């Protein structure tokens, strides 16, 4: 199948509908889950959705190497291509690699200023990111003002910034302590939890909407690809 056709039918469209339009440019999103539940594959899936639409993505890893992060992309893409019977797989993969930039930094001292510099370097290279994935950022240890700086950067640059946080438990009934002071600074907060036959995806916060809708999506436990639930 053609990648544009598949993208239009992607479960990401259901996620966007459930979140009243998705995260959206200028906003800050958070994904929380226990160890190994699927945060990285989910965020790589978010990134691939934009990459397949021709939108540049910057993926910043504070807890992994560039090689490790690239391997995640390759695995998720291969599963996606096989599942969707993607036409011109090699061509599409090459275009994804061209539009995606991977950077690794030590977690100590990483802040909005360093992310701003990374985005500037990408822009100077001719590829301004549409989405930023930030893994390994210490949300609980950050002051509210620091997270506010990241949100201000998202608005200033008109991009989406997704951050992942590892929780101590797999079940997440409410906002976990690992969110720290950042609750009011995030526009969207999603939780991933192991379920029966799938990894459940729930919204803990959906912008300013008091009624959090059913997202109608989950992660396949074998491929960790986003699927309809």
């Amino acid at each position: 199948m053609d990648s544009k056709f598949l993208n239009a039918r992607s479960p990401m469209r259901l996620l966007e509908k459930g979140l009243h339009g998705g995260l959206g440019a200028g906003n800050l999103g958070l994904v929380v889950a226990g160890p190994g539940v699927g945060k990285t594959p989910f965020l790589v899936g978010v990134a691939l959705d934009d990459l397949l639409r021709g939108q540049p993505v910057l993926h910043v890893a504070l807890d992994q190497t560039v090689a490790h992060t690239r391997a995640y992309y390759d695995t998720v893409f291969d599963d996606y291509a096989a599942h969707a019977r993607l036409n011109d797989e090699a061509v599409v993969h090459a275009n994804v690699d061209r539009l995606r930039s991977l950077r690794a930094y030590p977690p100590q001292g990483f802040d909005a200023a360093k992310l701003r510099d990374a985005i500037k370097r990408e822009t100077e290279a001719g590829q301004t990111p549409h989405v930023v994935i930030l893994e390994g950022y210490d949300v609980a240890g950050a002051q509210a003002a620091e997270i506010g700086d990241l949100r201000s950067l998202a608005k200033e640059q008109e991009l989406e910034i997704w951050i992942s946080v590892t929780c101590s438990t797999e079940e997440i009934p409410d906002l976990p302590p690992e969110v720290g002071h950042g609750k009011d600074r995030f526009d969207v907060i999603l939780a991933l939890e192991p379920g029966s036959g799938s990894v459940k995806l729930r919204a803990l916060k959906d912008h300013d909407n008091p009624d959090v809708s059913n997202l109608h999506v989950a992660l396949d436990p074998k491929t960790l690809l986003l699927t309809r639930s």
Side-chain angles (χ1 to χ4, degrees):
M1 294 185 188
D2 180 80
S3 60
K4 292 183 179 179
F5 176 73
L6 287 171
N7 196 265
R9 298 176 67 247
S10 168
M12 282 296 298
R13 306 290 80 77
L14 283 178
L15 178 60
E16 290 171 352
K17 184 177 180 180
L19 292 174
H20 301 83
L23 179 56
N27 293 319
L28 200 60
L30 181 70
V31 179
V32 298
V37 173
K39 296 181 300 300
T40 297
F42 170 76
L43 290 176
V44 168
V46 170
L48 278 175
D49 186 73
D50 276 86
L51 291 165
L52 290 169
R53 287 187 284 178
Q55 302 282 8
V57 170
L58 170 62
H59 192 125
V60 176
L62 306 182
D63 55 356
Q64 300 290 347
T65 64
V66 166
H68 187 274
T69 305
R70 183 182 293 111
Y72 254 114
Y73 273 88
D74 290 342
T75 298
V76 173
F77 180 87
D78 289 345
D79 286 338
Y80 174 86
H83 178 76
R85 298 179 182 177
L86 185 64
N87 294 337
D88 300 323
E89 178 181 340
V91 174
V92 175
H93 198 172
N95 195 48
V96 164
D97 287 346
R98 178 181 62 82
L99 291 170
R100 180 205 61 211
S101 180
L102 304 177
R103 291 177 178 266
Y105 295 84
Q108 296 81 11
F110 187 88
D111 55 14
K114 291 186 178 179
L115 181 57
R116 183 188 303 275
D117 181 66
I119 293 170
K120 180 182 178 182
R121 291 172 182 269
E122 295 298 319
T123 300
E124 290 173 346
Q127 197 157 270
T128 302
H130 180 259
V131 170
V132 171
I133 306 295
L134 179 56
E135 286 199 282
Y137 181 73
D138 183 11
V139 174
Q143 296 298 317
E146 295 176 37
I147 300 174
D149 287 343
L150 288 172
R151 192 181 186 202
S152 296
L153 177 60
K155 293 188 179 302
E156 174 192 318
Q157 300 289 332
E158 296 185 345
L159 50 79
E160 296 181 6
I161 298 179
W162 283 98
I163 298 175
S164 64
V165 164
T166 300
C167 300
S168 58
T169 60
E170 291 186 338
E171 298 297 326
I172 308 172
D174 203 347
L175 291 173
E178 287 84 356
V179 173
H181 303 284
K183 173 185 175 182
D184 296 330
R185 304 290 179 168
F186 289 99
D187 300 281
V188 168
I189 302 177
L190 303 179
L192 290 171
E193 299 173 306
S196 178
S198 67
V199 177
K200 298 181 294 182
L201 182 62
R202 292 192 300 112
L204 301 179
K205 182 178 181 181
D206 176 9
H207 299 282
D208 294 323
N209 297 300
D211 181 22
V212 180
S213 302
N214 189 331
L215 300 179
H216 299 291
V217 291
L219 293 185
D220 183 287
K222 293 182 180 178
T223 66
L224 291 180
L225 294 176
L226 198 64
T227 61
R228 297 165 186 262
S229 66

